[in-house]
Amino acid sequence: MTMITDGVDDEEKWLAVGIAGLQQNAFYMHRSLDSNNLKDAMKYSSQMLSELRTSKLSPHKYYDLYMRAFDELRKLEIFFMEETKRGGSIIDLYEHVQHAGNILPRLYLLCTMGSVYIKSKEAPAKDILKDLVEMCRGIQHPLRGLFLRSYLSQVSRDKLPDIGSEYEGDADTVNDAVEFVLQNFTEMNKLWVRMQHQGPARDKEKREKERGELRDLVGKNLHILSQVEGVDLDMYKDFVLPRVLEQVVNCKDEIAQFYLMECIIQVFPDEYHLQTLDVLLSACPQLQPSVDIKTVLSQLMERLSNYAASSGEVLPEFLQVEAFSKLSQAIGKVIEAQVDMPTAGIVTLYSALLTFTLHVHPERLDYADLVLGACVEKLSGKGKIEDSKATKQIVALLSAPLEKYNDIVTTLKLSNYSHVMEYLDGETMKVMASVIVQSITKNKTQISTAENVEALFELIRVLIEDLDGSLPDEVDEDDFKEEQSSVARLIQMLYNDDPDEMYKIISTVSKHILTGGIKRLPFTVPALVFSSLKLVRQLQGQEKNPSGDETATTPKKIFQLLTQTIETLSSVSAPELAFRLYLQCAEAANDCGLEPVAYEFFTQAYILYEEEISDSKAQVTALHLIIGTLQKMHVFGVENRETLTHKATGYSAKLLKKADQCRAVYACSNLFWLDDHENMKDGERVMLCLKRALRIANAAQQMSNATRGGTGPATLFIEILNKYLYFFEKGNEQISVGTIQGLIELITTEMQGESATPDSSADAFFASTLRYIEFQKQKGGAVGEKYEAIKL
């Protein structure tokens, strides 16, 4: 650590010394220029530039020194320009600067003077540029040579003999400009590559870092080439690209090859890349095996994809040059040539090719499937892929069609899609399956055939059943709930107007979700049940099959499937959910007029109540659900209704708490009085239920008095009073004014007794009930007459 620090400190010292020397000589150079002393100005400028001969600075520090010298040279160039305007001989000045003692300062001065010489137009630009680029060969030190040639590139870029330029010469002028830039580029690349092989092996990492800092000096030449107006497609194809690629391939340096291929792709127009695809792609297998060719090709395909997306007018060009075929073959050759290419690299290439295909040939699903098939072929034998980079790329590959088409149905037509997905490990497969489900719900995709549902559920199998022995216990509870809720939403979205096809869809879903295990079924079965009941409502009243076709879909057929489906919940410790679903199905069967089916569903619900629901609170809730559902049923004959009602009232009396018993019993009174059915109004049975509820309420009060020394609130009595009033209004003749009067007096006595427990809510409830009676009295008419006799 001390050695490194010392090295950094030494470098800072050498930079400071260099800057001081440069500034001192620059000062004397300016003074000489001010006094028009050309001889001394050349001497001091040469000494100033000698500071750039140092070998003790890193590229970063050397650049700092170079930029200071660059600024001074710009001032010197201005002086030379003014000198020629005053009548000084440009040729004499050009020869004069060649007397500088050291080659590096001499070449910097020559480049500066050469810029002035070209501007004067006293000699062809091509001759001066050729002279300068040749003379720069005199510096073979990599760092010093790179910066010298960078300076030459900088001062000459606006003086190239290009078409339309003021320095344009004869017919071959563009060739001269291109030749100059290419020659400078070639020499700079050689210097840059040579840096890799200087110094001990232990400094390799440091050298690579330094080369990274210098790469833009080399790449700038390609940028200048791309700006030359005369470089049209033909020249690029026949001359520029082959020369550049020749240098790239021949340098045999992985850093240079990767960077320069990136530069070519980035700086030249998309149209040129498309028309020279053969040439560009042929260079890829010739690169060093260690070159990250996947990134290069991915960038090329990305640019071409964006070019295709920019305008529909360019798409015929892609077809003309057979871009898809060429890229596909090139990728295959690269993968074969680089036998050690990691899986992530292979998938990245095919992901980029698929993106390209979807942009350029969105209608050609066969092309997209070919890409996926080629990827499967390259992945064959690798088993489940667990490398995070590779799996991330596979997810990107599989997501591309979803994002492009926004339609899973289109994606399902890709036969190789599911084969690629099989290479994902369990966790990543879940991620991908979730992406598919989210795509469907987000885009509200209509999946309307059993065949597509089958294909879809095969894809998202990992969300609906346990694979590879991984149990849902091992995942985060919230994530699991969200995941299964998304599957439930998906099931609800599956729809077809044709009942027969919809039944096939439901059967397909049932086949898949019933393998889901104890944790998944409570999420997915309800969704399937309600989706099935939606179809039942659609077919309501069609239980008789008019066509006589045994394969036709009928409500009875659907109910048979539902029976089997709900039974699975009983086997996975979800009896309360199964109980609720049985009651829902019973109600639907009632609406379809299917008495035996409705009775069977009630029977199953009763069995669950008796055998599986043991918690007292759960029993209370379940019993009220039974009563509420049974109250809606009109399909039952006298015998079946009597059996089910008798069972319900029997359950009420067996509840643990007296208060729960009381409420359940008076709720049962509704079972004997249905407003819309005259044959289902039994006033006596209603009265029996209410009297029984009163007895239970009285027993509850006595128990409270015995155990707590007080009678407790009169809330139950008030609730029963409200029930009496309900049936009194409905016209139940068994309930008289005297009965109501007596109950009111009973409640008043209970609430005012010495042992009564004060309860403000009960007081408010009773007061509200009395206000209701008073309100009904004031209504007048038949209702008012009924209530008039009640004394408050």
Side-chain angles (χ1 to χ4, degrees), residues 433-452:
S434 297
V435 169
I436 292 171
V437 173
Q438 286 164 14
S439 170
I440 296 168
T441 51
K442 178 185 172 185
N443 297 302
K444 297 183 173 61
T445 308
Q446 187 85 30
I447 303 169
S448 53
T449 68
E451 184 183 356
N452 283 338

Side-chain angles (χ1 to χ4, degrees), residues 248-249 251-258 261 283-297 333-342 345-346 349:
V248 172
V249 172
C251 74
K252 300 191 184 305
D253 177 80
E254 72 171 280
I255 296 175
Q257 288 182 337
F258 176 70
M261 289 297 285
C284 293
Q286 300 178 56
L287 304 179
Q288 297 299 102
S290 53
V291 172
D292 183 12
I293 197 65
K294 74 175 186 305
T295 302
V296 173
L297 284 173
K333 287 177 183 176
V334 165
I335 294 172
E336 285 173 17
Q338 298 193 5
V339 289
D340 296 327
M341 181 180 285
I346 294 171
L349 283 172

Side-chain angles (χ1 to χ4, degrees), residues 277 281 297 301 322-336 349-350 353-354 356-357 367 370-375 378:
L277 212 46
L281 294 175
L297 284 173
M301 287 184 278
E322 299 179 338
F324 171 75
S325 174
K326 289 174 182 175
L327 286 168
S328 186
Q329 288 172 15
I331 287 171
K333 287 177 183 176
V334 165
I335 294 172
E336 285 173 17
L349 283 172
Y350 283 112
L353 180 58
L354 183 60
F356 167 83
T357 307
Y367 280 5
L370 276 173
V371 176
L372 294 172
C375 186
K378 299 299 180 186

Side-chain angles (χ1 to χ4, degrees), residues 436-590:
I436 292 171
V437 173
Q438 286 164 14
S439 170
I440 296 168
T441 51
K442 178 185 172 185
N443 297 302
K444 297 183 173 61
T445 308
Q446 187 85 30
I447 303 169
S448 53
T449 68
E451 184 183 356
N452 283 338
V453 171
E454 174 69 34
L456 171 63
F457 274 62
E458 277 297 322
L459 277 184
I460 63 167
R461 206 156 45 100
V462 69
L463 296 181
I464 50 182
E465 59 183 272
D466 299 330
L467 301 177
D468 303 330
S470 61
L471 297 173
D473 300 323
E474 299 167 9
V475 301
D476 180 78
E477 193 68 29
D478 292 336
D479 290 345
F480 181 74
K481 283 181 180 177
E482 178 55 38
E483 169 194 294
Q484 293 306 303
S485 298
S486 68
V487 174
R489 285 193 291 273
L490 171 64
I491 293 170
Q492 293 278 19
M493 289 178 68
L494 307 174
Y495 182 72
N496 192 307
D497 288 330
D498 176 37
D500 292 335
E501 189 62 34
M502 187 62 199
Y503 181 75
K504 288 179 185 175
I505 289 173
I506 289 168
S507 301
T508 302
V509 173
S510 178
K511 178 186 74 175
H512 282 279
I513 68 168
L514 293 185
T515 60
I518 60 174
K519 286 215 164 188
R520 290 186 175 86
L521 288 176
F523 290 92
T524 52
V525 166
L528 177 62
V529 169
F530 283 102
S531 186
S532 303
L533 291 179
K534 194 189 297 181
L535 178 58
V536 168
R537 304 290 183 195
Q538 186 183 334
L539 294 167
Q540 204 163 303
Q542 297 181 24
E543 72 282 358
K544 292 181 180 178
N545 186 4
S547 64
D549 181 6
E550 293 184 3
T551 62
T553 302
T554 61
K556 190 179 288 186
K557 192 173 179 181
I558 299 167
F559 284 130
Q560 288 170 355
L561 175 67
L562 286 176
T563 303
Q564 298 165 10
T565 303
I566 299 172
E567 276 176 3
T568 59
L569 287 176
S570 306
S571 64
V572 296
S573 305
E576 290 174 39
L577 180 57
F579 169 83
R580 288 169 180 266
L581 293 174
Y582 277 133
L583 292 181
Q584 288 283 348
C585 292
E587 194 176 333
N590 172 75

